[in-house]
Amino acid sequence: MRPRTALCAVVSATSALLLISACSGGSASTSAGGAPLVGVDYPRSDTDFWNSYIKYTPEYAKEFDVSLKTTNSQNDVAKLTANAQTFISQGVKGVAMAPQDTAAIAPTLAQLAAKKIPVVTVDTRPDSGKVFMVVRADNRAYGEKACQYLGTKLGGKGKVVMLEGGLDSINGRDRTEAFNDCVKKNYPGIKVFGEATNWDGAVAAQKLQTDLTANPDIKGVYMQSSFALAGTLQVLKQKGLLVEPSDKKHVFVVSNDGIPEELKSIGEGKIDATVSQPADLYAKYALYYVKAAIDGKTFKPGKTDHDSTIVQVRDGLLEDQLAAPLVTADGGIYGGVPSLKSDDKSLWGNNLS
């Protein structure tokens, strides 16, 4: 447990983020109760992961005694730009956002910077432009962990489908490049069918169906997000491949997110592993760093007090890389990568009410 005094420091930092968004006017905007207002843009609400993030954000606002203004850009950079304009007109003192198109967000970041409104990006890192902090896990590690798990399970041989996210996103690029690099280096006997899906579950299911029809000997699937979970399970069931891991027909499936349905599916033997992306800590530390920016605090690369590491990804841009463990049925070590069991109570996906 974090000491109460230390928690208060985190709370304070977090409060400022939420508070800023709702204010208006020149001096520090506050709610009627005196709490600062912060603008938080939710990127989408059509996946279990982001719905969990949306659930956690007001919970931390309540815990940290802050007021919250929110918008939802629905995976549309034009809507995100318009939402940022709304925040500016409301006089916010800080903004947290999770731009899914990490290239197109640059003009909006420049506009907020011109207004001296600090920005924290969550889950994604802008391709250009500066923000106060990026709150994210190491997405290259996602691809590497998936590679090591599948490479071990397949004995370094066979065919794997990688259901890529969106390559207009740094997350999609990082996961894709790291998986391919790891396979090439460590498991050259594995053939990878890379399928672009733009984070669309229906597209992912259709492409997996096509690949399995053409290559019935496919033995592994890497889903870069839980967006593809339902469709993947449906396709495997239709093909008679949704069988227990002990069955020779089993197709090994690795996901990324750590939502409750993934953890349940691992326990039931329907999928085999995931990487738990910390939806709860994304909400918490987005608020923490917005408040810190408002308070004039600064940070340097290095270890943090919350089991993460701040790295400098380019000049003037820091990223707090939060822990994202591999999760498996047995909690074993795969290709040198340790894992947690799917029923581990430390996983946020096992603690949603």
Side-chain angles (χ1 to χ4, degrees):
M1 294 288 291
R2 186 187 297 273
R4 183 174 179 81
T5 52
L7 179 58
C8 289
V10 170
V11 169
S12 224
T14 302
S15 314
L17 168 37
L18 298 174
L19 312 175
I20 296 183
S21 176
C23 327
S24 72
S27 57
S29 300
T30 59
S31 68
L37 296 167
V38 166
V40 178
D41 182 80
Y42 300 137
R44 56 198 301 171
S45 54
D46 59 349
T47 70
D48 289 344
F49 177 81
W50 283 114
N51 282 333
S52 297
Y53 172 79
I54 289 169
K55 175 181 179 292
Y56 279 118
T57 299
E59 289 182 6
Y60 280 114
K62 182 177 180 181
E63 178 181 337
F64 300 151
D65 189 27
V66 298
S67 233
L68 185 61
K69 286 286 187 177
T70 65
T71 56
N72 191 320
S73 51
Q74 301 174 346
N75 203 25
D76 185 332
V77 71
K79 289 181 180 177
L80 178 52
T81 297
N83 292 343
Q85 291 291 333
T86 298
F87 287 148
I88 291 172
S89 69
Q90 291 173 332
V92 304
K93 301 302 176 186
V95 170
M97 63 171 67
Q100 302 297 282
D101 187 332
T102 53
I105 194 60
T108 299
L109 295 178
Q111 190 171 31
L112 289 164
K115 298 290 186 180
K116 301 190 183 305
I117 298 173
V119 175
V120 172
T121 62
V122 181
D123 179 56
T124 62
R125 179 203 313 146
D127 293 358
S128 61
K130 293 184 179 181
V131 297
F132 181 77
M133 183 69 73
V134 176
V135 175
R136 175 173 190 254
D138 182 353
N139 276 247
R140 286 194 62 84
Y142 291 13
E144 291 165 1
K145 290 174 181 179
C147 158
Q148 294 292 359
Y149 183 85
L150 288 173
T152 300
K153 284 295 187 179
L154 272 59
K157 300 177 182 178
K159 298 177 181 178
V160 171
V161 177
M162 174 166 53
L163 299 174
E164 302 166 353
L167 299 185
D168 58 351
S169 160
I170 186 67
N171 289 354
R173 294 196 300 272
D174 276 358
R175 297 175 200 186
T176 297
E177 291 169 4
F179 186 84
N180 284 332
D181 290 348
C182 172
V183 169
K184 182 178 180 181
K185 177 181 178 181
N186 299 292
Y187 306 104
I190 290 179
K191 178 177 176 58
V192 179
F193 297 92
E195 300 290 4
T197 70
N198 196 33
W199 310 109
D200 187 312
V203 173
Q206 183 271 319
K207 291 191 173 182
L208 177 60
Q209 174 91 26
T210 299
D211 284 337
L212 282 169
T213 299
N215 300 273
D217 55 343
I218 284 170
K219 297 302 293 181
V221 177
Y222 170 36
M223 309 182 300
Q224 290 189 0
S225 167
S226 59
F227 75 93
L229 179 62
T232 294
L233 293 179
Q234 182 178 14
V235 169
L236 292 177
K237 185 176 182 179
Q238 289 172 348
K239 294 284 187 180
L241 301 174
L242 192 60
V243 294
E244 299 209 354
S246 58
D247 192 311
K248 65 180 182 180
K249 293 191 298 182
H250 182 76
V251 175
F252 291 93
V253 179
V254 182
S255 188
N256 289 163
D257 274 344
I259 62 172
E261 190 61 29
E262 286 176 334
L263 303 183
K264 178 183 176 184
S265 293
I266 292 172
E268 294 173 345
K270 294 179 179 178
I271 71 170
D272 302 274
T274 189
V275 177
S276 180
Q277 186 169 215
D280 55 341
L281 300 184
Y282 279 3
K284 179 176 183 177
Y285 288 102
L287 302 183
Y288 172 80
Y289 284 114
V290 172
K291 177 59 165 59
I294 294 166
D295 289 346
K297 296 179 180 178
T298 59
F299 297 87
K300 295 180 179 180
K303 296 289 185 181
T304 71
D305 64 354
H306 48 272
D307 300 320
S308 67
T309 302
I310 295 176
V311 299
Q312 181 169 312
V313 293
R314 59 176 181 263
D315 185 38
L317 185 64
L318 297 177
E319 178 172 300
D320 188 352
Q321 295 186 339
L322 303 177
L326 177 67
V327 181
T328 62
D330 63 0
I333 298 175
Y334 295 89
V337 179
S339 68
L340 297 177
K341 292 186 69 173
S342 59
D343 60 357
D344 193 302
K345 295 304 181 184
S346 70
L347 297 168
W348 68 267
N350 285 325
N351 293 296
L352 283 176
S353 55

